[in-house]
Amino acid sequence: RRRNQRPTHDQPVGKLLQEEESIEVLHQRAIAARVRVLIAQHRLRIGDTFAAFDMNHDGTLSPAELYGGLKWLGLDIPPSEIASLIAIFDVDADGMISLDEFKQALDIPGMEQDDSDLPAFDPLTGFEGLKPVEVEGMESPSVENVDVPPPCDLPRSTADQIAVKFVSNIRLKQAWTSRGTVSNDTASLWTIETGSGWGGVLTGNKSEQVGLGTYLSDSFEKPGDQVTIELTDGSVWRSSEYLQPVIARLLPCPRRFRQVLSIEKGSSKLFVWEPIPPDTRFVSLSMVCTASNEAPPRGFVRCVPKEWCEEATALARVWTDSVSQASIWSTGQAAPAFWVASKTLDKPEGEAWVLKEQVLRREFKMTSFSKCANDLFLLR
């Protein structure tokens, strides 16, 4: 018996055919669907796949990392289609792919994945042959001098006398306020008040103070007593020749900044940046903000050894933008009152860090954390 004939626009396929989209867009969606199938066949979660592809552990994927990862999955794509492939993931066209962009590209209706029975992710096993594959004409954004300097000679007698502590004698200036934003919440962000030559370090004679981030207040007033890190060379009476080389290695500049938020509505514009640590030995404690769409200089804040930190487990939402639903979250410590941001009402993706109590509450010697000292210095 002949089926009833319905107009195409009344059938499920009608919605797809009515959209004014190019063949290229449909082809991109087909590639994204194929990637989802391959990820499922490898019994991986999308977030774990991103972590595996992120071979230099900087929190983003370069075109070479993405292309190498997709080839490892088994995606066979001709060189002529590589640019189209990258465009699926690199939504903001900044040359790098964030976790949010990776997830967004693979968020395909009807292909939701049940992760409940998948094995725990182990980045050290099961990824043999995974390596970056360079894409001709699509080199990763170049960043000069981003590596931690190689270990330097440091007398053991000096290293044992370099003390680290958090001090509260700092002056803050307002960097942003939620006045003029489309929000019922109140919040403000504060940065260390310094001279025009600020490079993340306040220079003294035998002591140096180092900026680690910007500070969050849940009002328009300065947050209560805030702290920053200070290093002192106890082996000298006046200036130290070793403090600057120690800071360059122990508290390095971020590799670069990744833009997290860009809110330009209202009279109080907000641009939020995440410092990307130079390698996996270090973490950033706080995001930073600017008044323009230009990233801050790399030396604006410093990273800290991961050995000093623990994962933040008490994130609390402080401010929400009523239009974009972007949000700012406290990492849970009163001082330093550092923070992270999210593009949604949900907690930010990825890890947030706070300082361990034994680091924050007392002065300690640099060499009391042996891993840092042995990795970063040639003690003699």
Side-chain angles (χ1 to χ4, degrees):
R1 188 176 60 181
R2 188 176 182 183
R3 296 178 181 177
N4 292 330
Q5 299 297 306
R6 290 186 296 155
T8 301
H9 59 77
D10 288 340
Q11 299 181 44
V13 73
K15 182 177 180 181
L16 176 63
L17 296 177
Q18 289 169 24
E19 292 179 353
E20 296 181 358
E21 295 179 310
S22 67
I23 295 298
E24 181 182 2
V25 171
L26 297 177
H27 181 56
Q28 288 179 345
R29 289 184 178 178
I31 294 175
R34 176 61 179 153
V35 173
R36 281 296 300 264
V37 170
L38 291 169
I39 289 174
Q41 289 176 350
H42 282 76
R43 292 182 57 75
L44 290 170
R45 301 171 180 86
I46 291 178
D48 295 341
T49 305
F50 180 91
F53 289 4
D54 183 15
M55 291 165 243
N56 67 357
H57 310 292
D58 69 349
T60 59
L61 302 183
S62 67
E65 287 175 321
L66 177 67
Y67 187 45
L70 294 179
K71 285 178 72 71
W72 176 85
L73 279 178
L75 185 68
D76 187 16
I77 185 169
S80 60
E81 296 185 11
I82 293 174
S84 178
L85 167 72
I86 301 297
I88 298 173
F89 294 89
D90 187 14
V91 177
D92 60 7
D94 68 348
M96 303 295 284
I97 295 103
S98 68
L99 176 58
D100 284 345
E101 287 177 318
F102 191 74
K103 287 184 172 180
Q104 179 181 335
L106 299 177
D107 182 15
I108 303 171
M111 296 192 70
E112 292 77 12
Q113 184 178 7
D114 181 6
D115 297 341
S116 59
D117 65 339
L118 294 181
F121 176 61
D122 182 356
L124 301 180
T125 60
F127 296 99
E128 292 79 8
L130 177 60
K131 61 181 180 181
V133 176
E134 291 299 330
V135 181
E136 185 176 354
M138 296 193 69
E139 291 78 12
S140 303
S142 60
V143 182
E144 298 180 359
N145 303 319
V146 297
D147 295 326
V148 179
C152 66
D153 285 330
L154 185 65
R156 167 66 74 170
S157 58
T158 298
D160 289 339
Q161 291 300 311
I162 293 181
V164 182
K165 66 178 179 179
F166 283 81
V167 296
S168 59
N169 57 330
I170 58 173
R171 293 184 300 172
L172 299 179
K173 64 178 181 180
Q174 192 175 83
W176 173 83
T177 173
S178 61
R179 282 193 181 101
T181 63
V182 187
S183 175
N184 294 323
D185 301 325
T186 58
S188 53
L189 298 171
W190 300 76
T191 187
I192 295 176
E193 186 174 345
T194 61
S196 59
W198 172 241
V201 177
L202 288 171
T203 304
N205 291 320
K206 56 184 288 184
S207 298
E208 309 277 2
Q209 291 183 5
V210 180
L212 302 178
T214 51
Y215 303 86
L216 171 65
S217 171
D218 60 3
S219 70
F220 298 137
E221 305 297 324
K222 291 182 182 180
D225 242 2
Q226 291 303 306
V227 297
T228 196
I229 196 169
E230 181 177 87
L231 277 71
T232 301
D233 183 353
S235 69
V236 296
W237 286 102
R238 293 189 178 178
S239 60
S240 169
E241 64 178 293
Y242 292 109
L243 272 187
Q244 288 296 333
V246 165
I247 289 172
R249 290 159 176 81
L250 191 65
L251 302 167
C253 296
R255 175 180 294 271
R256 62 184 183 85
F257 289 93
R258 179 179 71 87
Q259 190 174 76
V260 176
L261 293 182
S262 174
I263 300 176
E264 301 188 57
K265 293 184 181 295
S267 60
S268 188
K269 295 178 172 58
L270 176 63
F271 303 90
V272 174
W273 308 83
E274 177 189 6
I276 304 299
D279 62 50
T280 56
R281 294 173 296 178
F282 302 93
V283 299
S284 61
L285 291 172
S286 177
M287 294 186 180
V288 298
C289 69
T290 59
S292 70
N293 204 18
E294 183 177 347
R298 286 181 49 243
F300 184 70
V301 294
R302 299 290 179 129
C303 301
V304 300
K306 192 174 185 178
E307 190 180 14
W308 295 3
C309 303
E310 59 191 10
E311 193 170 350
T313 59
L315 295 181
R317 191 168 62 215
V318 173
W319 178 82
T320 301
D321 180 65
S322 301
V323 175
S324 67
Q325 301 297 292
S327 53
I328 290 176
W329 298 69
S330 164
T331 55
Q333 285 182 324
F338 290 149
W339 56 282
V340 290
S342 170
K343 292 181 178 179
T344 69
L345 295 175
D346 298 326
K347 289 182 181 180
E349 296 278 356
E351 298 171 319
W353 299 91
V354 293
L355 292 159
K356 294 177 179 176
E357 285 299 311
Q358 63 264 38
V359 170
L360 188 57
R361 300 305 175 195
R362 64 176 178 82
E363 178 179 303
F364 61 92
K365 301 299 184 183
M366 180 187 73
T367 50
S368 63
F369 286 86
S370 58
K371 188 175 187 305
C372 293
N374 293 333
D375 277 358
L376 302 171
F377 306 100
L378 302 174
L379 302 179
R380 51 183 170 83

